Amino acid sequence: MSGPLISAALERIQPSQTSAMTDRATALREEGRDIISLSVGEPDFATPPHVVEAMAKALRDGQTRYTPVGGTSACKRAAALHFTRDLGIAATPANVTISAGGKQAIFHALCATLDAGDEVVIPAPWWVSYPEIARFAGANVIPLPTTPASAFRFTAEALEAAITPRTRWLLLNSPGNPTGAVFPADELLAIGEVLDRHPQVLVMSDDIYAPLRYSDEPHATLAALRPDLADRVLTVSGVSKSHAMTGLRIGFATGPEWLIRAMERLQSHSSGNPCSISQAGAVAAMQGPQDFLGEWRDIFRTRRDLVCAAVNAIPGLSTPVPDGAFYCLTDAAPLIGGAFRDDMALALHLLDHGVAIVPASSFGGAHCGLSGFRISFAAGADTLREAMRRIETAVKSI
Ligand code: PLP
């Protein structure tokens, strides 16, 4: 990727490994190979019909012009409704912004606030884009390693030890990608106490998987638990994962007004407004029925149980049962070092057997001593059964 005209900032980052693996699977399929792709993080459900209808109507009504950079007032009201109703955060249209996916909100927030040499504390394993965005913005990534034994959650003491005077952000992601880790309220409160001692630290709470929790505990999030930290917590959400709208690219963020305005200032020179038609869809998604979310979650729970049982029955593979999201981070350490130099080599072997997954190294697994791969269980039960059969055959063939 390097070249004489590439900037130093771009040289610091890698392309998204999840997109790379998905593109590879697509290319093999186009060559006629039978590949099951469990590499991508998107629900396989159809976008709800009332959302599709709202977008078709917006198109017919000619809503094809620029909108305000940070979103229409209708979409901002819908996002504020979501934060208040679903996450318990006192949001108003004045302190929310709409972006082209949650990813863009995170990109703009970090780029608007980081300078060279600043530090960003990121729990590992992490979502692929967090460290790359932080590095692009010139910051140093400080990994906060977690392990399957601690259900991929870090302690308040470990956080305290990771913070320095240069720390500008802590990135929190619950339920988490790629681990499915969910932080309970008492642990978030303990994290809040650490933050009380470090007023220079902003917190990104990425709650994009909030509806996908498999226990009956209510969703816990820092901005709701500690409203007094509101001046430095940015909560990110959206409709991609919750409402099967990944391609429509709508994300929401709420936080202190200075930060929301800073993100919009940057957005005014990057994408401008998010897609007008998609915004109309997001309004319908938030204002329309929500009851199907529970049904979708139950379907995901069944798939999770199917995949975890199958993984844990294959010698050399193991996984904890994730509490949320639709990923299962599988430990394959016993298989690495012999036939396979690293987990990327194992991933390519599985691809040869017709299943695309993403190696744990793409998610910073090395910081946690973890070699393995992430399985996305956002696919139908029959597809998942066939994929697990192929993985078993591939592992047994070693
Ligand atoms: N945050 C996490 C943890 C994710 O896994 C993703 C997508 O994979 C996003 C944010 C961004 O979602 P989108 O930009 O599709 O809304």
Side-chain angles (χ1 to χ4, degrees):
M1 239 248 298
S2 75
L5 300 180
I6 297 292
S7 70
L10 195 70
E11 289 286 15
R12 289 195 291 268
I13 72 171
Q14 296 294 320
S16 162
Q17 296 284 314
T18 39
S19 308
M21 195 47 105
T22 307
D23 292 350
R24 211 170 192 148
T26 308
L28 286 173
R29 270 203 202 122
E30 281 167 4
E31 284 170 19
R33 294 272 310 277
D34 169 20
I35 305 287
I36 299 177
S37 180
L38 303 183
S39 54
V40 72
E42 68 180 345
D44 55 323
F45 303 125
T47 304
H50 64 280
V51 172
V52 175
E53 186 42 46
M55 290 191 293
K57 181 170 182 321
L59 203 48
R60 283 195 300 270
D61 290 351
Q63 291 180 32
T64 53
R65 309 282 183 209
Y66 291 132
T67 77
V69 166
T72 61
S73 43
C75 199
K76 286 195 170 193
R77 280 197 303 275
L81 167 72
H82 163 64
F83 284 118
T84 312
R85 177 192 64 197
D86 305 329
L87 304 182
I89 299 170
T92 67
N95 72 347
V96 303
T97 189
I98 317 297
S99 52
K103 188 180 279 196
Q104 193 185 43
I106 296 167
F107 192 93
H108 286 163
L110 295 182
C111 289
T113 51
L114 287 168
D115 286 310
D118 286 344
E119 293 175 358
V120 179
V121 175
I122 315 182
W126 48 47
W127 177 48
V128 286
S129 291
Y130 294 146
E132 305 302 339
I133 299 173
R135 282 191 204 108
F136 182 76
N140 296 324
V141 170
I142 308 299
L144 195 52
T146 66
T147 61
S150 60
F152 294 114
R153 302 200 302 266
F154 61 86
T155 61
E157 294 71 37
L159 173 63
E160 181 80 62
I163 293 177
T164 76
R166 292 306 309 259
T167 309
R168 285 303 306 277
W169 282 96
L170 163 67
L171 305 193
L172 281 178
N173 177 211
S174 172
N177 174 7
T179 62
V182 174
F183 276 85
D186 59 334
E187 292 181 24
L188 288 176
L189 286 170
I191 290 169
E193 282 173 24
V194 174
L195 294 165
D196 287 336
R197 291 190 282 280
H198 302 281
Q200 84 282 13
V201 180
L202 294 161
V203 184
M204 171 103 58
S205 179
D206 180 350
D207 291 27
I208 203 143
Y209 294 99
L212 290 166
R213 282 169 291 104
Y214 303 116
S215 84
D216 293 330
E217 291 296 307
H219 178 63
T221 191
L222 195 62
L225 291 167
R226 288 286 311 270
D228 57 317
L229 289 177
D231 59 341
R232 53 195 177 110
V233 179
L234 183 77
T235 307
V236 175
S237 188
V239 288
S240 298
K241 315 289 179 175
S242 60
H243 288 68
M245 293 171 66
T246 43
L248 296 165
R249 311 307 303 130
I250 293 293
F252 306 145
T254 185
E257 271 192 62
W258 68 266
L259 179 55
I260 294 294
R261 296 288 88 78
M263 291 161 66
E264 290 183 350
R265 198 189 325 169
L266 191 48
Q267 184 156 305
S268 75
H269 295 294
S270 59
S271 57
N273 66 268
C275 171
S276 55
I277 303 302
S278 299
Q279 289 188 66
V283 172
M286 287 306 133
Q287 290 178 346
Q290 307 293 314
D291 44 341
F292 65 94
L293 296 180
E295 288 159 31
W296 284 8
R297 191 202 44 216
D298 292 346
I299 294 171
F300 277 125
R301 187 193 282 113
T302 308
R303 295 169 174 184
R304 172 197 72 165
D305 294 343
L306 183 164
V307 167
C308 290
V311 165
N312 286 322
I314 301 174
L317 299 185
S318 60
T319 179
V321 178
D323 294 326
F326 38 64
Y327 308 105
C328 135
L329 193 61
T330 298
D331 184 1
L335 306 179
I336 310 292
F340 304 109
R341 193 168 28 93
D342 51 25
D343 54 17
M344 179 50 107
L346 176 62
L348 294 175
H349 176 70
L350 297 181
L351 194 56
D352 273 347
H353 281 78
V355 185
I357 43 68
V358 186
S361 45
S362 307
F363 306 103
H367 295 288
C368 322
L370 199 83
S371 299
F373 52 90
R374 185 194 76 174
I375 299 174
S376 164
F377 52 82
D382 289 343
T383 306
L384 290 171
R385 265 187 221 103
E386 172 58 16
M388 296 316 300
R389 195 194 58 71
R390 291 182 190 185
I391 291 177
E392 184 177 9
T393 309
V395 168
K396 286 190 172 155
S397 76
I398 296 168

